[in-house]
Amino acid sequence: MDPVQAQLADAVDAALDRTTDVHAELAAIGVPELGLPERLGGFGLGLGADIVVNHRLGRNLQPLPAHRETVFALELLPDWAVPEAVVEQVLKGSAHATTIGVHTTPTLRADDEGRVWGDSEHLPAGDLALAVLRAVAPGGDTRWYRASLREHTSVARESELLGVAGQRVHFTGTPATPVEVDDGRWRTALDAARTRQAAVLLGLAERALDTARSHVNKRVQFGKPLVQLQTVAHRLARLVGEGDGWWLLLHQAAWRHDSGADRAADAAQVLATATEHALRSTRLALQLHGVRGMLAHSTAATAYRLASVEATRMGKVGRLWREAGAAHLAAAQAAPGLGE
């Protein structure tokens, strides 16, 4: 990391150590203001700042998915559709935005008057002010809408996924405004969201491996520390080395995105690798801790549970690999000389 990124990482760690509202503490140090585009009232530091913030969220076992969903939702909307009041709340950390029916098959339906009905998927916990959603319109087409979640016709209900708190929103005729999300805006916002998600997963993996490394150096079996067993040491060393490589790949993907030189496969590939690495790392940490790792409050169990939830938030890993592979093939076929 460069000096600015290192200072930002320290600031995030300090904010997460405090006992007051986490989102308010992050807002006090400029999160998500630092990464938001200037047109949305941010400083426009881009993914170079965002990946550092989200990596530290994962590292501290506080993924705060509402933070990433808020940025993703705002980036999807055209400028005219972003309410200034919502941006002010976001920058203060007092409210969030979310997407619905974007990462999954849409379950909501919209009527001829633009009112939305149905139940959302499992959403991040937090006070929601705005939703960017996809709903099935009359005629069967899927369309984009913007809806205020301050309406009495949208009610949030607490829910859990693998013990991780969240919510589902029940819509009963909520007024929604149709919006156009063109392919360019969709691709740019989705790639950025995937890169942020990869940062969180790599942070979770790093915390799990650090915890496992500390444990096997202290845990004695058969008269010697566990780390002296090759089957333990080699597995840990391999994952630590892979994590360093994926961290570099993440920085490369963020730099390409910010400089406008990103490739179609970058975001899907970096999220797929981060997902697999996080699942392997947290699983190994759980195994090496044995019965201690199965305690619900243990760091190993918490990291494993969080990684399992975050690994599916933006789609299954198999789909990501297929998408990345198709993009690589398309790029290769388009290269001069290959089609002759």
Side-chain angles (χ1 to χ4, degrees):
M1 295 189 292
D2 63 36
V4 173
Q5 290 174 320
Q7 291 184 19
L8 179 56
D10 290 340
V12 172
D13 289 344
L16 296 177
D17 280 340
R18 295 173 184 148
T19 56
T20 53
D21 180 75
V22 176
H23 289 287
E25 292 291 347
L26 290 174
I29 63 171
V31 176
E33 191 172 9
L34 292 173
L36 276 177
E38 293 181 21
R39 64 182 179 84
L40 296 178
F43 293 127
L45 296 185
L47 287 183
D50 282 349
I51 60 171
V52 173
V53 171
N54 285 289
H55 176 267
R56 301 315 294 179
L57 295 180
R59 181 73 175 75
N60 284 276
L61 303 183
Q62 298 188 60
L64 302 183
H67 162 67
R68 291 183 300 289
E69 273 295 294
T70 294
V71 178
F72 183 35
L74 294 181
E75 288 182 341
L76 280 172
L77 289 175
D79 292 351
W80 67 266
V82 181
E84 291 185 8
V86 171
V87 174
E88 291 178 3
Q89 291 175 313
V90 167
L91 296 182
K92 292 178 182 178
S94 59
H96 311 286
T98 190
T99 64
I100 299 176
V102 175
H103 306 303
T104 62
T105 302
T107 58
L108 302 179
R109 59 184 179 84
D111 60 22
D112 291 324
E113 298 179 1
R115 296 176 300 183
V116 177
W117 307 78
D119 293 296
S120 75
E121 67 269 28
H122 179 83
L123 303 174
D127 185 10
L128 299 176
L130 178 75
V132 179
L133 56 90
R134 291 197 306 160
V136 180
D141 294 335
T142 299
R143 297 180 185 174
W144 290 89
Y145 297 88
R146 181 202 70 189
S148 170
L149 298 184
R150 302 297 193 190
E151 294 282 342
H152 68 279
T153 53
S154 58
V155 179
R157 299 168 178 170
E158 293 182 358
S159 65
E160 284 191 357
L161 180 62
L162 296 180
V164 178
Q167 59 188 319
R168 296 179 186 272
V169 179
H170 180 63
F171 294 87
T172 54
T174 304
T177 303
V179 293
E180 290 293 333
V181 180
D182 59 51
D183 290 342
R185 183 182 297 276
W186 160 249
R187 175 50 58 185
T188 299
L190 178 63
D191 284 353
R194 286 175 168 177
T195 307
R196 296 184 192 99
Q197 188 68 17
V200 169
L201 287 162
L202 290 182
L204 289 169
E206 183 181 289
R207 179 62 178 274
L209 292 176
D210 283 352
T211 301
R213 184 163 49 188
S214 175
H215 175 72
V216 298
N217 274 280
K218 296 175 182 177
R219 178 65 172 167
V220 175
Q221 284 191 345
F222 309 111
K224 58 183 179 181
L226 274 177
V227 74
Q228 293 185 18
L229 298 175
Q230 288 189 357
T231 54
V232 172
H234 288 182
R235 292 168 73 190
L236 268 177
R238 177 179 178 180
L239 285 173
V240 170
E242 288 178 354
D244 290 343
W246 302 145
W247 180 234
L248 292 174
L249 180 66
L250 176 68
H251 273 274
Q252 183 187 56
W255 176 83
R256 282 178 172 163
H257 185 276
D258 289 341
S259 61
D262 53 326
R263 301 174 302 184
D266 283 350
Q269 180 172 290
V270 75
L271 180 54
T273 55
T275 299
E276 292 183 341
H277 178 67
L279 292 176
R280 285 198 300 266
S281 298
T282 55
R283 190 180 299 121
L284 177 61
L286 199 64
Q287 292 172 352
L288 292 178
H289 277 79
V291 174
R292 290 178 177 83
M294 297 180 186
L295 300 176
H297 63 275
S298 73
T299 299
T302 301
Y304 177 76
R305 185 171 62 252
L306 291 174
S308 299
V309 173
E310 296 301 326
T312 60
R313 192 174 296 283
M314 299 202 68
K316 295 181 179 179
V317 69
R319 188 185 72 182
L320 292 170
W321 278 124
R322 288 192 295 273
E323 184 178 327
H328 278 299
L329 286 174
Q333 292 170 355
L338 290 182
E340 298 176 358

